[in-house]
Amino acid sequence: MHRAMSGRLAAARRRPRAALWIAVFTGPALRTALLGGLLVGEAAIGSAFALNGGELAILVECSIFGGLLAVVLLPTLTKVLGARVLAIGAAWATILFLAAGMVFASRVSGGGFATIVLFAAALLLGFFVALLSPITQAMLNKATAADDDARHSLQSVWSAGLPAGFIAASVVGGVLVEWTGWWTALAVPLALAIVAALALLDSGLDHPDASEVEAMQSSASEVAILVLALVAFEVWSTWGSLASWLEPGVLLALLATVAMGALALGRLRHSENPAISLAPYSVGGFAAATLILLLYQLPTTAEFEVLLLTELRHVPAETIGNRTAIGNAGQVVGTILAAGLLFQRRFRLALVAGFGLTIVGLAGYVAYPWFDGFAYIAATRTITGLGGGLLTPVLFVLALNRMPVPMQLAAGTWLVLANIGGVELGLALFDAVLEISTNVTGSDLAAYLTVEIAQLAVCVVTAVIALVLVKTGRLDVRDVSPSAGNPTGDPASPTPGAR
């Protein structure tokens, strides 16, 4: 009896398949690699298609909007197609789009129809690559439900994929664009998509199946309201960044965004079978971890200190690119450190170190008007990256530690949505602060300093909120796996204080 039990335990704790490690890394890396490729090839794309700065910004926003749309629609699509078919289909669709683009790009010239195709392709690519992030998140948690160490290691690998994809696409894509043309800026996303597609074909991988999502499909009207809320947000954020946040039309778009968001949330709360299940929020610690993850994205958008350096200090673009690459490498190192701390179950230390490093890095940005040497700007960006690399996998683990298997996909969807949406919301909010501060003070320097100080303040407040949540037990840093807390995998009853 004891021997049989030990055998089952050993089987449950077997080493995750190599294909899972590859899929878990390439899934999130593919999304950020597409963004990195578009950004590094932005000037060349603008020249090839005769696009101005505003149109190029909209092109990048099309990709980001496609990603947000994918995350919102993921649970519904999974119910219809199944996670395995959806993941493999998304990877191969990405390959076909990118390969076709590279084949025909050299023959395409700027023009109305070609520009429309370019924008549509950016939206569809953003959609396909974003599907893999929450799916691989659910896959790693399902495969390691009985092995905490493997789950923590895979979570760190997943988190490392985010900066690694961006670094690879920025560096390799930048070199290829100089040698050939704009279409090679997307060579890294194409390579990652091929690797991901091959890994996902492994029949031994555990994909969330339909029974682990929900049996019934959500109503079309509910899905439509979610999509409209997302469209309203994108219209407001893009319009405001290109025009003025104080224009009457932009303010009306903000009101429409708030109204549609409130309506969508109300429908989700009262629906018997919501498009994105709210059940994960009944599990202890999930709501707190998701809130901290969302708030943490706001001040760490890595955008406004770059504008300060380029517009006020006239730091060369090449220097800024090197700074970004080194900072993202720091984030990868942070995820490696997080893996070690997770293995030792030192969640508190990881949270304190992550917030501490981020606060030190953001505080360093405030001094950029007076200290803009490469060593200083690269060091402060690297410190901030280390903090982000430490925090992200730890927050994901704390959010999902007690999550029953049937809720894993919905939980991963909410976390990825907080991750992507927090960045977009942070860009919009601090860009509005920049505009308002410029109008009030009449000084670009004062306006940028206001933004940098505001970002630092938001991070400090987020750290304080995290401390309070830990102290009150709402963010429980004890290590409890889904199998330990709920061995049957049945939906858990709400934990007191979890809401």
Side-chain angles (χ1 to χ4, degrees):
M1 179 73 176
H2 176 71
R3 185 175 301 173
M5 182 67 71
S6 300
R8 286 195 295 270
L9 183 61
R13 295 176 62 87
R14 68 185 184 276
R15 193 75 175 163
R17 301 174 68 88
L20 180 62
W21 291 88
I22 295 171
V24 162
F25 177 81
T26 54
L30 183 56
R31 177 173 64 82
T32 56
L34 177 64
L35 179 60
L38 286 175
L39 291 176
V40 79
E42 204 171 27
I45 294 172
S47 177
F49 288 86
L51 302 178
N52 58 37
E55 291 168 333
L56 286 171
I58 294 175
L59 176 67
V60 175
E61 282 300 318
C62 282
S63 170
I64 296 173
F65 172 71
L68 289 171
L69 187 63
V71 176
V72 168
L73 295 179
L74 174 63
T76 300
L77 292 174
T78 304
K79 296 170 192 175
V80 176
L81 300 174
R84 186 172 191 272
V85 171
L86 189 60
I88 294 173
W92 285 102
T94 302
I95 294 171
L96 292 176
F97 267 87
L98 290 175
M102 289 186 176
V103 170
F104 296 108
S106 58
R107 311 173 195 173
V108 175
S109 58
F113 179 73
T115 301
I116 292 174
V117 172
L118 177 68
F119 279 65
L123 189 148
L124 289 172
L125 281 171
F127 181 90
F128 290 131
V129 301
L131 288 171
L132 296 180
S133 286
I135 289 178
T136 52
Q137 182 64 231
M139 286 169 58
L140 80 86
N141 281 286
K142 180 180 179 181
T144 59
D147 190 343
D148 297 345
D149 292 337
R151 185 172 71 256
H152 296 164
S153 297
L154 280 166
Q155 187 62 68
S156 296
V157 169
W158 189 94
S159 299
L162 295 171
F166 190 88
I167 293 171
S170 300
V171 175
V172 177
V175 172
L176 292 177
V177 167
E178 293 293 327
W179 287 353
T180 53
W182 68 266
W183 58 91
T184 53
L186 302 177
V188 170
L190 176 59
L192 286 171
I194 293 172
V195 174
L198 294 175
L200 290 167
L201 287 175
D202 187 340
S203 59
L205 291 180
D206 283 329
H207 293 264
D209 55 44
S211 64
E212 294 171 353
V213 184
E214 299 216 9
M216 298 173 58
Q217 295 186 27
S218 305
S219 67
S221 62
E222 186 176 307
V223 175
I225 290 172
L226 279 174
V227 172
L228 287 175
L230 189 57
V231 170
F233 172 78
E234 279 297 318
V235 169
W236 167 69
S237 62
T238 304
W239 190 359
S241 64
L242 295 177
S244 168
W245 296 100
L246 302 178
E247 279 192 6
V250 175
L251 294 176
L252 288 175
L254 174 60
L255 290 176
T257 300
V258 173
M260 291 300 301
L263 178 61
L265 183 59
R267 289 293 297 269
L268 288 177
R269 290 187 62 186
H270 295 98
S271 173
E272 293 183 359
N273 188 37
I276 308 178
S277 175
L278 296 175
Y281 288 98
S282 67
V283 178
F286 180 79
T290 304
L291 174 64
I292 297 303
L293 182 68
L294 174 65
L295 293 177
Y296 181 75
Q297 306 309 310
L298 302 182
T300 55
T301 53
E303 175 75 16
F304 298 99
E305 76 275 11
V306 172
L307 294 176
L308 186 156
L309 289 169
T310 54
E311 295 185 5
L312 296 187
R313 308 307 300 165
H314 307 293
V315 176
E318 183 179 356
T319 301
I320 294 293
N322 292 335
R323 170 189 177 272
T324 301
I326 293 174
N328 284 336
Q331 191 169 346
V332 174
V333 173
T335 61
I336 296 173
L337 295 175
L341 293 174
L342 287 170
F343 183 78
Q344 299 173 21
R345 310 296 195 269
R346 305 185 73 175
F347 297 141
R348 290 177 184 270
L349 178 58
L351 287 174
V352 171
F355 274 115
L357 288 169
T358 304
I359 290 170
V360 169
L362 291 178
Y365 295 170
V366 179
Y368 279 179
W370 301 279
F371 300 95
D372 60 359
F374 178 72
Y376 180 78
I377 65 176
T380 50
R381 176 65 184 89
T382 302
I383 291 171
T384 306
L386 278 169
L390 271 168
L391 274 177
T392 301
V394 173
L395 288 172
F396 269 81
V397 166
L398 291 177
L400 298 170
N401 248 359
R402 295 163 174 77
M403 195 63 57
V405 171
M407 299 183 189
Q408 292 282 359
L409 187 63
T413 299
W414 282 113
L415 290 171
V416 173
L417 190 59
N419 188 274
I420 302 175
V423 172
E424 287 294 287
L425 188 59
L427 288 172
L429 292 177
F430 285 109
D431 194 31
V433 170
L434 181 64
E435 179 187 343
I436 294 170
S437 181
T438 302
N439 292 338
V440 171
T441 65
S443 167
D444 290 339
L445 176 59
Y448 275 109
L449 286 177
T450 299
V451 169
E452 299 302 337
I453 293 171
Q455 287 182 309
L456 175 61
V458 170
C459 189
V460 171
V461 170
T462 303
V464 172
I465 293 173
L467 175 63
V468 171
L469 291 172
V470 170
K471 288 289 186 182
T472 58
R474 292 179 179 271
L475 185 60
D476 196 340
V477 295
R478 293 174 300 171
D479 185 49
V480 179
S481 67
S483 56
N486 186 17
T488 65
D490 295 328
S493 58
T495 301
R499 295 185 182 276

